[in-house]
Amino acid sequence: MSNIYYKIRAYLGRDFSSKEVFLENKSDGKGDYIKTWNVAESQPNDEQLDALDAQATILENNNQVDATRRKEYGNWNDQLDEIYHDIDAWKARLQTIKTNNPKS
């Protein structure tokens, strides 16, 4: 079961700020819940959010893949140096990273 944050992203079709949707956790074992909803779209109920579980899981998994890719790409200074010395090797390295870390 995916995180409520990603279910809300799937529901809205975009990322959101904590000013728009504020999530809270009472540490009662029930997990996060929507405390404040300041979005034009109507607030979804639990059934609507649960119906988005598959989409939310894909968003959550792709977010992890993005983080892994960013780490493996390295910083932009090193990448610029790599491009300067051998752009084709840089392209091949990035393609290998993408192949090894596919998105859903």
Side-chain angles (χ1 to χ4, degrees):
M1 183 169 237
S2 62
N3 182 314
I4 190 171
Y5 169 81
Y6 291 101
K7 289 179 181 181
I8 294 169
R9 275 187 61 190
Y11 177 77
L12 294 174
R14 62 177 175 83
D15 204 358
F16 57 92
S17 72
S18 59
K19 290 181 180 182
E20 293 178 295
V21 179
F22 186 76
L23 302 176
E24 189 169 86
N25 189 318
K26 291 184 179 180
S27 299
D28 58 1
K30 294 181 181 178
D32 293 343
Y33 69 95
I34 299 169
K35 178 167 180 151
T36 308
W37 186 266
N38 294 316
V39 181
E41 294 88 340
S42 61
Q43 182 173 335
N45 58 38
D46 290 339
E47 292 79 26
Q48 289 172 305
L49 290 175
D50 289 342
L52 296 167
D53 193 56
Q55 287 174 268
T57 298
I58 290 170
L59 287 172
E60 192 169 6
N61 291 342
N62 284 345
N63 190 61
Q64 182 58 45
V65 168
D66 285 341
T68 301
R69 285 182 178 183
R70 279 191 301 275
K71 183 179 177 184
E72 291 186 21
Y73 290 157
N75 69 52
W76 64 271
N77 295 3
D78 292 341
Q79 287 191 58
L80 286 175
D81 189 51
E82 192 176 356
I83 290 167
Y84 176 78
H85 290 290
D86 189 349
I87 193 168
D88 293 327
W90 172 79
K91 287 179 184 179
R93 185 177 72 80
L94 265 57
Q95 186 56 54
T96 299
I97 291 169
K98 289 179 179 185
T99 301
N100 292 341
N101 299 284
K103 290 186 176 183
S104 300

XYZ file of all heavy atoms in Angstrom:
857
model
N 0.843 -1.176 0.000
C 0.000 0.000 0.000
C 0.890 1.241 0.000
O 1.819 1.348 0.770
C -0.907 -0.030 1.212
C -1.880 1.109 1.267
S -3.101 0.820 2.541
C -4.542 0.915 1.541
N 0.603 2.159 -0.872
C 1.476 3.318 -1.029
C 1.143 4.425 -0.030
O 0.085 4.461 0.576
C 1.400 3.834 -2.454
O 0.094 4.251 -2.732
N 2.057 5.328 0.073
C 2.006 6.479 0.949
C 0.878 7.425 0.527
O 0.659 7.643 -0.664
C 3.383 7.132 0.830
C 3.583 8.320 1.688
O 2.747 9.201 1.771
N 4.732 8.343 2.326
N 0.188 8.034 1.477
C -0.915 8.953 1.173
C -0.435 10.149 0.345
O -1.169 10.660 -0.498
C -1.645 9.411 2.457
C -2.925 10.169 2.088
C -0.728 10.214 3.341
C -3.821 10.473 3.269
N 0.800 10.574 0.570
C 1.353 11.692 -0.206
C 1.278 11.381 -1.701
O 0.847 12.225 -2.495
C 2.804 11.955 0.220
C 3.543 12.898 -0.685
C 3.386 14.274 -0.560
C 4.393 12.420 -1.683
C 4.059 15.144 -1.398
C 5.064 13.290 -2.518
C 4.896 14.642 -2.373
O 5.552 15.505 -3.209
N 1.671 10.179 -2.095
C 1.663 9.811 -3.509
C 0.242 9.575 -4.022
O -0.048 9.823 -5.187
C 2.554 8.586 -3.753
C 4.013 8.923 -3.549
C 4.671 8.584 -2.382
C 4.719 9.633 -4.515
C 6.003 8.922 -2.183
C 6.038 9.984 -4.328
C 6.676 9.622 -3.154
O 7.988 9.983 -2.964
N -0.655 9.138 -3.159
C -2.061 9.000 -3.561
C -2.650 10.373 -3.869
O -3.386 10.542 -4.843
C -2.865 8.308 -2.465
C -2.548 6.843 -2.311
C -3.372 6.228 -1.202
C -3.036 4.761 -1.013
N -3.840 4.137 0.048
N -2.303 11.365 -3.044
C -2.801 12.724 -3.285
C -2.183 13.294 -4.558
O -2.875 13.941 -5.358
C -2.533 13.635 -2.064
C -3.350 13.148 -0.868
C -2.862 15.094 -2.382
C -2.975 13.791 0.454
N -0.899 13.028 -4.785
C -0.272 13.467 -6.048
C -0.994 12.851 -7.240
O -1.238 13.526 -8.246
C 1.202 13.072 -6.092
C 2.103 14.076 -5.412
C 3.561 13.770 -5.602
N 3.944 13.793 -7.001
C 5.107 13.384 -7.465
N 6.025 12.909 -6.632
N 5.390 13.431 -8.741
N -1.340 11.581 -7.147
C -2.064 10.919 -8.237
C -3.455 11.541 -8.398
O -3.917 11.756 -9.520
C -2.169 9.423 -7.967
N -4.114 11.829 -7.305
C -5.452 12.434 -7.337
C -5.410 13.810 -8.002
O -6.242 14.124 -8.851
C -6.005 12.541 -5.912
C -7.357 13.210 -5.808
C -8.512 12.516 -6.148
C -7.478 14.523 -5.372
C -9.756 13.129 -6.049
C -8.706 15.143 -5.270
C -9.844 14.437 -5.607
O -11.081 15.044 -5.517
N -4.439 14.633 -7.610
C -4.333 15.988 -8.158
C -3.681 16.026 -9.537
O -3.856 16.981 -10.287
C -3.539 16.882 -7.200
C -4.168 17.167 -5.844
C -3.200 17.949 -4.963
C -5.482 17.927 -6.006
N -2.880 15.008 -9.843
C -2.163 14.998 -11.112
C -0.946 15.906 -11.106
O -0.432 16.291 -12.155
N -0.487 16.263 -9.905
C 0.664 17.159 -9.768
C 1.176 17.085 -8.338
O 0.541 16.535 -7.459
C 0.278 18.595 -10.096
C -0.788 19.152 -9.144
C -1.107 20.614 -9.434
N -2.188 21.107 -8.615
C -2.059 21.552 -7.361
N -0.884 21.552 -6.774
N -3.105 22.003 -6.690
N 2.332 17.696 -8.139
C 2.871 17.819 -6.790
C 2.102 18.931 -6.075
O 1.396 19.717 -6.711
C 4.366 18.142 -6.851
C 5.101 17.726 -5.595
O 4.463 17.224 -4.650
O 6.327 17.915 -5.541
N 2.226 18.995 -4.782
C 1.517 20.013 -4.009
C 2.386 20.446 -2.836
O 3.306 19.745 -2.430
C 0.171 19.477 -3.506
C 0.302 18.231 -2.662
C 0.428 18.319 -1.286
C 0.306 16.978 -3.255
C 0.562 17.179 -0.512
C 0.438 15.836 -2.483
C 0.567 15.928 -1.112
N 2.075 21.615 -2.295
C 2.844 22.134 -1.153
C 2.103 21.833 0.145
O 0.904 21.520 0.147
C 3.041 23.642 -1.295
O 1.818 24.313 -1.067
N 2.805 21.988 1.253
C 2.180 21.765 2.560
C 1.177 22.878 2.886
O 0.346 22.716 3.776
C 3.237 21.669 3.661
O 3.996 22.854 3.721
N 1.234 23.997 2.162
C 0.215 25.034 2.337
C -1.102 24.615 1.695
O -2.168 25.039 2.123
C 0.695 26.362 1.739
C 1.810 27.004 2.521
C 2.223 28.322 1.906
C 3.351 28.931 2.725
N 3.759 30.233 2.193
N -0.997 23.798 0.644
C -2.206 23.315 -0.027
C -2.814 22.130 0.720
O -4.017 22.085 0.950
C -1.889 22.895 -1.463
C -1.503 24.035 -2.358
C -1.159 23.540 -3.743
O -0.161 22.810 -3.887
O -1.911 23.883 -4.675
N -1.974 21.157 1.026
C -2.423 19.955 1.728
C -1.445 19.693 2.862
O -0.264 19.466 2.615
C -2.470 18.728 0.790
C -2.927 17.494 1.553
C -3.371 18.981 -0.408
N -1.960 19.746 4.076
C -1.108 19.495 5.229
C -1.444 18.114 5.781
O -2.588 17.837 6.134
C -1.311 20.557 6.313
C -0.352 20.418 7.457
C 0.970 20.817 7.317
C -0.764 19.865 8.652
C 1.864 20.677 8.368
C 0.122 19.721 9.704
C 1.436 20.121 9.568
N -0.425 17.248 5.815
C -0.591 15.894 6.339
C -0.093 15.848 7.775
O 0.876 16.514 8.125
C 0.189 14.900 5.478
C -0.185 14.857 4.003
C 0.729 13.907 3.248
C -1.638 14.453 3.824
N -0.760 15.048 8.587
C -0.361 14.913 9.982
C -0.404 13.443 10.367
O -1.109 12.647 9.761
C -1.294 15.724 10.879
C -0.829 15.811 12.320
C -1.620 16.816 13.117
O -2.678 16.439 13.644
O -1.177 17.975 13.193
N 0.365 13.102 11.382
C 0.408 11.744 11.898
C 0.307 11.820 13.408
O 1.130 12.459 14.056
C 1.706 11.054 11.474
C 1.710 9.584 11.793
O 1.281 9.169 12.861
N 2.207 8.805 10.866
N -0.695 11.165 13.984
C -0.903 11.196 15.427
C -0.073 10.143 16.157
O -0.200 9.996 17.361
C -2.380 10.966 15.749
C -3.280 12.089 15.339
C -4.705 11.831 15.769
C -5.615 12.966 15.383
N -7.000 12.716 15.789
N 0.752 9.402 15.429
C 1.569 8.327 16.011
C 0.704 7.289 16.719
O 1.091 6.736 17.745
C 2.616 8.899 16.974
O 3.484 9.772 16.295
N -0.464 7.025 16.134
C -1.370 6.037 16.707
C -1.393 4.746 15.891
O -2.241 3.883 16.096
C -2.784 6.600 16.821
C -3.355 7.063 15.485
O -2.652 6.921 14.455
O -4.477 7.585 15.462
N -0.448 4.640 14.963
C -0.371 3.455 14.124
C -1.252 3.497 12.889
O -1.234 2.582 12.086
N -2.036 4.556 12.730
C -2.934 4.668 11.577
C -2.290 5.393 10.405
O -2.864 5.485 9.337
C -4.223 5.382 11.978
C -5.054 4.599 12.973
C -6.322 5.324 13.312
C -7.130 4.539 14.330
N -8.361 5.252 14.717
N -1.098 5.949 10.614
C -0.387 6.630 9.544
C -0.837 8.061 9.343
O -1.589 8.619 10.143
N -0.379 8.650 8.248
C -0.697 10.045 7.928
C -2.157 10.192 7.523
O -2.770 9.262 6.996
C 0.178 10.546 6.783
C 1.644 10.646 7.162
O 1.962 10.646 8.362
O 2.479 10.726 6.242
N -2.693 11.378 7.772
C -4.033 11.713 7.316
C -4.025 13.175 6.882
O -3.114 13.928 7.205
C -5.083 11.458 8.402
C -4.988 12.397 9.581
C -5.771 13.551 9.639
C -4.105 12.148 10.625
C -5.678 14.422 10.711
C -4.009 13.016 11.702
C -4.799 14.154 11.743
O -4.700 15.015 12.801
N -5.052 13.568 6.136
C -5.161 14.950 5.660
C -5.729 15.794 6.795
O -6.867 15.611 7.210
C -6.073 15.043 4.419
C -5.503 14.203 3.273
C -6.251 16.502 4.000
C -6.463 14.026 2.105
N -4.915 16.725 7.288
C -5.380 17.633 8.348
C -6.012 18.872 7.733
O -7.047 19.338 8.188
C -4.238 18.021 9.268
C -4.699 18.989 10.341
C -3.719 19.173 11.435
C -4.326 20.175 12.413
N -3.908 20.004 13.737
N -5.354 19.437 6.695
C -5.849 20.656 6.061
C -5.846 20.474 4.549
O -4.864 19.996 3.985
C -4.947 21.861 6.427
O -4.814 21.919 7.837
C -5.526 23.157 5.915
N -6.927 20.878 3.905
C -7.073 20.778 2.447
C -7.398 22.161 1.901
O -8.493 22.676 2.110
C -8.181 19.783 2.106
C -8.313 19.511 0.635
C -9.148 20.142 -0.242
C -7.599 18.539 -0.124
N -9.000 19.629 -1.499
C -8.049 18.634 -1.462
C -6.622 17.612 0.176
C -7.560 17.831 -2.476
C -6.133 16.808 -0.831
C -6.597 16.913 -2.140
N -6.443 22.793 1.222
C -6.628 24.131 0.636
C -6.375 24.077 -0.865
O -5.533 24.796 -1.388
C -5.667 25.140 1.282
C -5.974 25.368 2.744
O -7.123 25.522 3.117
N -4.948 25.377 3.576
N -7.104 23.220 -1.539
C -6.949 23.010 -2.979
C -8.321 23.198 -3.623
O -9.345 22.874 -3.012
C -6.411 21.583 -3.267
C -6.217 21.355 -4.744
C -5.117 21.341 -2.518
N -8.346 23.718 -4.853
C -9.615 23.958 -5.551
C -10.405 22.664 -5.739
O -11.630 22.654 -5.625
C -9.356 24.623 -6.896
N -9.703 21.573 -6.023
C -10.377 20.298 -6.185
C -10.955 19.853 -4.841
O -10.410 20.129 -3.790
C -9.406 19.210 -6.689
C -8.879 19.438 -8.090
C -7.607 20.288 -8.136
O -7.317 21.021 -7.163
O -6.917 20.235 -9.157
N -12.078 19.147 -4.896
C -12.691 18.681 -3.655
C -11.788 17.646 -2.974
O -11.056 16.916 -3.637
C -14.068 18.081 -3.920
O -13.960 16.977 -4.786
N -11.848 17.616 -1.656
C -11.007 16.685 -0.903
C -11.476 15.258 -1.146
O -12.653 14.950 -1.019
C -11.062 17.000 0.596
C -10.179 16.097 1.410
C -10.098 16.516 2.867
O -10.300 17.680 3.188
N -9.803 15.574 3.735
N -10.546 14.361 -1.496
C -10.930 12.976 -1.755
C -11.228 12.236 -0.445
O -10.665 12.552 0.603
C -9.693 12.392 -2.435
C -8.562 13.200 -1.874
C -9.120 14.578 -1.683
N -12.108 11.255 -0.546
C -12.364 10.410 0.623
C -11.411 9.209 0.582
O -10.647 9.038 -0.380
C -13.835 9.970 0.689
C -14.264 9.206 -0.547
O -13.504 8.417 -1.105
N -15.494 9.439 -0.984
N -11.434 8.392 1.600
C -10.518 7.254 1.684
C -10.684 6.290 0.513
O -9.701 5.754 0.001
C -10.718 6.495 3.007
C -10.234 7.290 4.204
O -9.411 8.219 4.014
O -10.677 6.989 5.330
N -11.916 6.069 0.084
C -12.162 5.146 -1.036
C -11.548 5.678 -2.330
O -10.974 4.916 -3.105
C -13.665 4.902 -1.224
C -14.324 4.122 -0.115
C -14.626 4.966 1.129
O -14.798 6.209 1.006
O -14.660 4.388 2.232
N -11.664 6.980 -2.557
C -11.068 7.583 -3.755
C -9.550 7.463 -3.719
O -8.924 7.153 -4.727
C -11.475 9.048 -3.876
C -12.921 9.261 -4.253
C -13.308 10.719 -4.166
O -13.148 11.363 -3.132
N -13.835 11.250 -5.275
N -8.966 7.700 -2.556
C -7.515 7.586 -2.435
C -7.061 6.136 -2.586
O -6.063 5.863 -3.251
C -7.040 8.161 -1.099
C -7.144 9.671 -0.955
C -6.752 10.097 0.453
C -6.296 10.384 -1.984
N -7.800 5.209 -1.994
C -7.436 3.791 -2.110
C -7.504 3.307 -3.552
O -6.725 2.454 -3.963
C -8.333 2.923 -1.220
C -8.023 3.104 0.260
O -6.928 3.622 0.586
O -8.884 2.731 1.089
N -8.415 3.882 -4.343
C -8.536 3.503 -5.755
C -7.308 3.944 -6.560
O -7.060 3.419 -7.649
C -9.799 4.107 -6.357
N -6.535 4.867 -6.014
C -5.343 5.380 -6.699
C -4.065 4.692 -6.244
O -2.964 5.123 -6.575
C -5.224 6.893 -6.467
C -6.349 7.727 -7.056
C -6.311 9.143 -6.507
C -6.260 7.730 -8.572
N -4.203 3.610 -5.497
C -3.041 2.933 -4.924
C -2.024 2.499 -5.983
O -0.824 2.706 -5.811
C -3.486 1.732 -4.088
C -2.372 1.193 -3.231
O -1.804 1.975 -2.445
O -2.054 -0.008 -3.361
N -2.490 1.925 -7.085
C -1.562 1.456 -8.126
C -0.799 2.629 -8.746
O 0.424 2.556 -8.920
C -2.316 0.679 -9.201
N -1.499 3.714 -9.055
C -0.838 4.890 -9.624
C 0.147 5.485 -8.616
O 1.237 5.912 -8.984
C -1.868 5.953 -9.989
C -2.696 5.639 -11.213
C -3.764 6.701 -11.385
O -4.873 6.550 -10.901
N -3.415 7.774 -12.073
N -0.246 5.527 -7.364
C 0.607 6.085 -6.321
C 1.867 5.247 -6.140
O 2.953 5.792 -5.929
C -0.170 6.183 -5.015
N 1.732 3.943 -6.241
C 2.895 3.062 -6.121
C 3.885 3.332 -7.247
O 5.097 3.378 -7.024
C 2.457 1.580 -6.118
O 1.613 1.368 -4.978
C 3.644 0.643 -6.064
N 3.388 3.545 -8.458
C 4.256 3.873 -9.596
C 4.967 5.201 -9.340
O 6.182 5.313 -9.549
C 3.451 3.921 -10.916
C 3.009 2.503 -11.300
C 4.261 4.557 -12.036
C 2.012 2.455 -12.439
N 4.235 6.209 -8.866
C 4.856 7.504 -8.557
C 5.935 7.355 -7.492
O 7.026 7.920 -7.615
C 3.802 8.499 -8.063
C 2.837 9.068 -9.082
C 1.748 9.884 -8.381
C 3.573 9.942 -10.082
N 5.641 6.579 -6.460
C 6.592 6.374 -5.369
C 7.838 5.647 -5.862
O 8.968 6.034 -5.550
C 5.907 5.579 -4.256
C 6.653 5.541 -2.974
C 5.821 4.972 -1.828
O 4.694 4.493 -2.051
O 6.324 5.015 -0.700
N 7.637 4.607 -6.658
C 8.775 3.853 -7.202
C 9.614 4.713 -8.143
O 10.849 4.673 -8.094
C 8.295 2.597 -7.929
C 7.714 1.571 -6.980
O 7.934 1.613 -5.766
N 6.953 0.644 -7.523
N 8.956 5.493 -8.998
C 9.691 6.362 -9.923
C 10.452 7.452 -9.177
O 11.538 7.856 -9.602
C 8.753 6.976 -10.960
C 8.356 5.984 -12.029
O 8.973 4.930 -12.178
N 7.313 6.301 -12.766
N 9.914 7.910 -8.061
C 10.625 8.892 -7.247
C 11.919 8.295 -6.700
O 12.959 8.960 -6.686
C 9.732 9.374 -6.107
C 10.319 10.546 -5.381
O 10.544 11.597 -5.978
N 10.578 10.375 -4.100
N 11.871 7.038 -6.298
C 13.078 6.362 -5.803
C 14.087 6.167 -6.933
O 15.284 6.341 -6.742
C 12.722 5.016 -5.170
C 13.907 4.280 -4.600
C 14.658 5.080 -3.551
O 14.065 5.681 -2.670
N 15.973 5.122 -3.646
N 13.596 5.819 -8.114
C 14.478 5.661 -9.275
C 15.155 6.996 -9.597
O 16.366 7.040 -9.859
C 13.694 5.133 -10.507
C 14.517 5.230 -11.776
C 13.247 3.694 -10.273
N 14.394 8.093 -9.569
C 14.974 9.423 -9.820
C 16.091 9.732 -8.833
O 17.146 10.239 -9.219
C 13.902 10.511 -9.732
C 12.985 10.545 -10.937
O 13.351 9.995 -11.989
O 11.894 11.142 -10.816
N 15.862 9.435 -7.565
C 16.884 9.700 -6.538
C 18.140 8.872 -6.793
O 19.259 9.378 -6.675
C 16.319 9.404 -5.154
N 17.959 7.611 -7.155
C 19.099 6.739 -7.449
C 19.866 7.255 -8.660
O 21.095 7.322 -8.645
C 18.624 5.294 -7.695
O 17.946 4.830 -6.531
C 19.784 4.373 -8.018
N 19.135 7.632 -9.713
C 19.786 8.162 -10.912
C 20.583 9.426 -10.603
O 21.728 9.567 -11.022
C 18.742 8.470 -11.992
C 18.191 7.253 -12.696
C 17.211 7.708 -13.758
N 16.650 6.602 -14.523
C 15.820 6.772 -15.547
N 15.463 7.985 -15.929
N 15.354 5.724 -16.193
N 19.969 10.358 -9.862
C 20.669 11.614 -9.535
C 21.969 11.330 -8.794
O 22.999 11.948 -9.075
C 19.770 12.522 -8.695
C 18.766 13.312 -9.508
C 18.090 14.392 -8.674
N 17.390 13.876 -7.513
C 16.140 13.416 -7.521
N 15.457 13.406 -8.654
N 15.585 12.972 -6.424
N 21.935 10.381 -7.873
C 23.137 10.033 -7.117
C 24.208 9.462 -8.047
O 25.382 9.820 -7.969
C 22.785 9.027 -6.025
C 23.941 8.655 -5.152
C 23.514 7.676 -4.071
C 24.708 7.250 -3.243
N 24.340 6.240 -2.251
N 23.807 8.573 -8.950
C 24.756 7.927 -9.851
C 25.265 8.871 -10.942
O 26.383 8.712 -11.418
C 24.148 6.671 -10.461
C 23.961 5.564 -9.434
C 23.500 4.259 -10.044
O 23.684 4.048 -11.263
O 22.951 3.442 -9.285
N 24.460 9.858 -11.341
C 24.915 10.820 -12.343
C 26.102 11.622 -11.819
O 26.988 11.999 -12.571
C 23.809 11.805 -12.729
C 22.669 11.235 -13.528
C 21.430 11.861 -13.522
C 22.801 10.076 -14.286
C 20.359 11.360 -14.252
C 21.737 9.564 -15.013
C 20.516 10.211 -14.991
O 19.469 9.722 -15.706
N 26.110 11.911 -10.540
C 27.170 12.737 -9.974
C 26.827 14.206 -10.083
O 25.784 14.586 -10.618
N 27.720 15.041 -9.576
C 27.422 16.478 -9.599
C 27.633 17.046 -11.007
O 28.329 16.479 -11.834
C 28.232 17.231 -8.532
C 29.710 17.278 -8.840
O 30.114 17.668 -9.929
N 30.525 16.890 -7.876
N 27.027 18.188 -11.231
C 27.045 18.764 -12.585
C 28.435 19.247 -12.983
O 28.774 19.238 -14.162
C 25.990 19.864 -12.720
C 26.207 21.060 -11.843
C 25.760 21.251 -10.571
C 26.935 22.233 -12.184
N 26.161 22.462 -10.102
C 26.893 23.098 -11.071
C 27.627 22.638 -13.314
C 27.510 24.336 -11.065
C 28.242 23.885 -13.306
C 28.178 24.713 -12.192
N 29.270 19.638 -12.013
C 30.632 20.079 -12.363
C 31.413 18.927 -12.990
O 32.092 19.109 -14.016
C 31.386 20.565 -11.119
C 30.772 21.795 -10.499
O 29.754 22.274 -10.951
N 31.408 22.303 -9.465
N 31.330 17.765 -12.363
C 32.029 16.596 -12.903
C 31.450 16.180 -14.249
O 32.180 15.767 -15.151
C 31.974 15.431 -11.920
C 32.795 15.687 -10.663
O 33.679 16.575 -10.706
O 32.550 15.007 -9.647
N 30.122 16.298 -14.380
C 29.502 15.939 -15.651
C 29.945 16.877 -16.772
O 30.195 16.422 -17.895
C 27.978 15.949 -15.535
C 27.438 14.771 -14.755
C 25.948 14.667 -14.894
O 25.438 14.558 -16.001
N 25.255 14.703 -13.774
N 30.055 18.167 -16.480
C 30.528 19.112 -17.503
C 31.948 18.784 -17.938
O 32.279 18.841 -19.136
C 30.448 20.552 -16.984
C 29.056 21.151 -16.910
C 29.115 22.542 -16.264
C 28.414 21.228 -18.285
N 32.785 18.417 -16.980
C 34.158 18.030 -17.304
C 34.156 16.766 -18.164
O 34.902 16.668 -19.151
C 34.956 17.800 -16.014
C 36.434 17.614 -16.289
O 37.014 18.463 -16.996
O 37.003 16.613 -15.798
N 33.303 15.839 -17.801
C 33.189 14.589 -18.563
C 32.709 14.870 -19.993
O 33.220 14.292 -20.950
C 32.206 13.672 -17.828
C 32.164 12.252 -18.304
C 31.245 11.385 -17.461
O 30.681 11.868 -16.450
O 31.085 10.218 -17.825
N 31.752 15.759 -20.138
C 31.244 16.131 -21.460
C 32.363 16.776 -22.285
O 32.529 16.468 -23.465
C 30.044 17.093 -21.333
C 28.830 16.346 -20.776
C 29.708 17.745 -22.666
C 27.707 17.262 -20.326
N 33.118 17.656 -21.661
C 34.210 18.346 -22.352
C 35.240 17.351 -22.884
O 35.701 17.473 -24.014
C 34.883 19.346 -21.399
C 36.086 20.019 -22.006
C 35.924 21.061 -22.915
C 37.368 19.611 -21.679
C 37.023 21.687 -23.479
C 38.480 20.232 -22.238
C 38.297 21.266 -23.136
O 39.393 21.875 -23.703
N 35.576 16.362 -22.080
C 36.608 15.405 -22.479
C 36.109 14.325 -23.437
O 36.858 13.907 -24.327
C 37.247 14.760 -21.240
C 38.083 15.717 -20.464
N 39.283 16.216 -20.918
C 37.877 16.307 -19.265
C 39.787 17.054 -20.043
N 38.942 17.130 -19.018
N 34.862 13.862 -23.254
C 34.355 12.797 -24.127
C 32.839 12.701 -23.984
O 32.324 11.929 -23.186
C 35.012 11.463 -23.774
C 34.701 10.363 -24.779
O 33.817 10.552 -25.643
O 35.341 9.294 -24.687
N 32.143 13.486 -24.783
C 30.684 13.545 -24.681
C 30.031 12.193 -24.966
O 29.028 11.840 -24.353
C 30.090 14.657 -25.581
C 28.622 14.904 -25.214
C 30.278 14.313 -27.053
C 28.036 16.151 -25.825
N 30.603 11.426 -25.881
C 30.010 10.124 -26.198
C 30.111 9.160 -25.025
O 29.174 8.398 -24.753
C 30.657 9.526 -27.452
C 30.324 10.324 -28.705
O 29.204 10.879 -28.773
O 31.178 10.406 -29.606
N 31.230 9.194 -24.309
C 31.378 8.343 -23.119
C 30.391 8.780 -22.037
O 29.803 7.946 -21.341
C 32.808 8.400 -22.598
N 30.189 10.094 -21.904
C 29.226 10.613 -20.937
C 27.815 10.145 -21.281
O 27.085 9.678 -20.407
C 29.307 12.144 -20.924
C 28.243 12.809 -20.106
C 28.205 12.947 -18.754
C 27.064 13.442 -20.607
N 27.073 13.620 -18.379
C 26.350 13.940 -19.501
C 26.534 13.641 -21.878
C 25.135 14.623 -19.633
C 25.341 14.317 -22.005
C 24.663 14.794 -20.895
N 27.437 10.248 -22.555
C 26.114 9.787 -22.990
C 25.941 8.298 -22.714
O 24.885 7.866 -22.240
C 25.914 10.047 -24.487
C 25.694 11.482 -24.850
C 25.526 11.592 -26.362
C 25.392 13.001 -26.845
N 25.250 13.067 -28.311
N 26.964 7.506 -22.990
C 26.896 6.061 -22.757
C 26.751 5.756 -21.268
O 25.975 4.876 -20.877
C 28.136 5.377 -23.330
N 27.487 6.483 -20.439
C 27.402 6.258 -18.990
C 26.006 6.577 -18.478
O 25.416 5.807 -17.712
C 28.438 7.124 -18.260
C 28.486 6.859 -16.758
C 29.566 7.687 -16.076
N 29.239 9.109 -15.998
C 28.424 9.654 -15.086
N 27.860 8.899 -14.167
N 28.187 10.943 -15.087
N 25.437 7.697 -18.909
C 24.088 8.054 -18.473
C 23.053 7.056 -18.983
O 22.113 6.704 -18.259
C 23.731 9.473 -18.919
C 23.987 10.544 -17.873
C 25.409 10.576 -17.391
C 23.516 11.881 -18.333
N 23.226 6.573 -20.198
C 22.293 5.579 -20.724
C 22.363 4.289 -19.911
O 21.338 3.661 -19.643
C 22.562 5.290 -22.204
C 21.532 4.368 -22.832
C 20.111 4.913 -22.685
O 19.827 6.045 -23.068
N 19.219 4.135 -22.104
N 23.559 3.886 -19.493
C 23.715 2.694 -18.649
C 22.994 2.894 -17.324
O 22.309 1.986 -16.834
C 25.209 2.395 -18.412
O 25.825 2.148 -19.678
C 25.403 1.202 -17.502
N 23.126 4.078 -16.738
C 22.439 4.381 -15.475
C 20.933 4.284 -15.663
O 20.225 3.687 -14.849
C 22.851 5.773 -14.952
C 24.311 5.758 -14.499
C 21.936 6.222 -13.811
C 24.894 7.135 -14.217
N 20.423 4.853 -16.755
C 18.980 4.791 -17.031
C 18.521 3.353 -17.271
O 17.464 2.958 -16.807
C 18.628 5.665 -18.235
C 18.729 7.138 -17.941
C 18.395 7.953 -19.167
C 18.477 9.434 -18.874
N 18.048 10.248 -20.009
N 19.311 2.583 -17.989
C 18.961 1.181 -18.258
C 18.943 0.368 -16.979
O 18.056 -0.467 -16.785
C 19.949 0.582 -19.270
O 19.903 1.351 -20.476
C 19.625 -0.870 -19.576
N 19.897 0.622 -16.101
C 19.990 -0.112 -14.834
C 18.956 0.340 -13.811
O 18.736 -0.359 -12.816
C 21.391 0.020 -14.238
C 22.440 -0.704 -15.057
O 22.130 -1.574 -15.856
N 23.694 -0.321 -14.873
N 18.344 1.496 -14.027
C 17.352 2.050 -13.106
C 16.128 2.498 -13.888
O 15.832 3.681 -13.985
C 17.953 3.234 -12.338
C 19.150 2.836 -11.513
O 19.003 2.230 -10.465
N 20.337 3.156 -11.996
N 15.372 1.538 -14.444
C 14.217 1.893 -15.285
C 13.046 2.421 -14.469
O 12.842 2.040 -13.320
C 13.869 0.589 -15.963
C 14.296 -0.461 -14.985
C 15.530 0.102 -14.326
N 12.291 3.306 -15.094
C 11.043 3.797 -14.482
C 9.892 2.898 -14.901
O 9.966 2.214 -15.924
C 10.767 5.226 -14.928
C 11.724 6.230 -14.356
C 11.292 7.639 -14.720
C 12.195 8.663 -14.079
N 11.736 10.032 -14.360
N 8.840 2.921 -14.110
C 7.652 2.108 -14.410
C 6.859 2.707 -15.543
O 6.850 3.861 -15.770
C 6.757 2.024 -13.179
O 7.448 1.436 -12.115
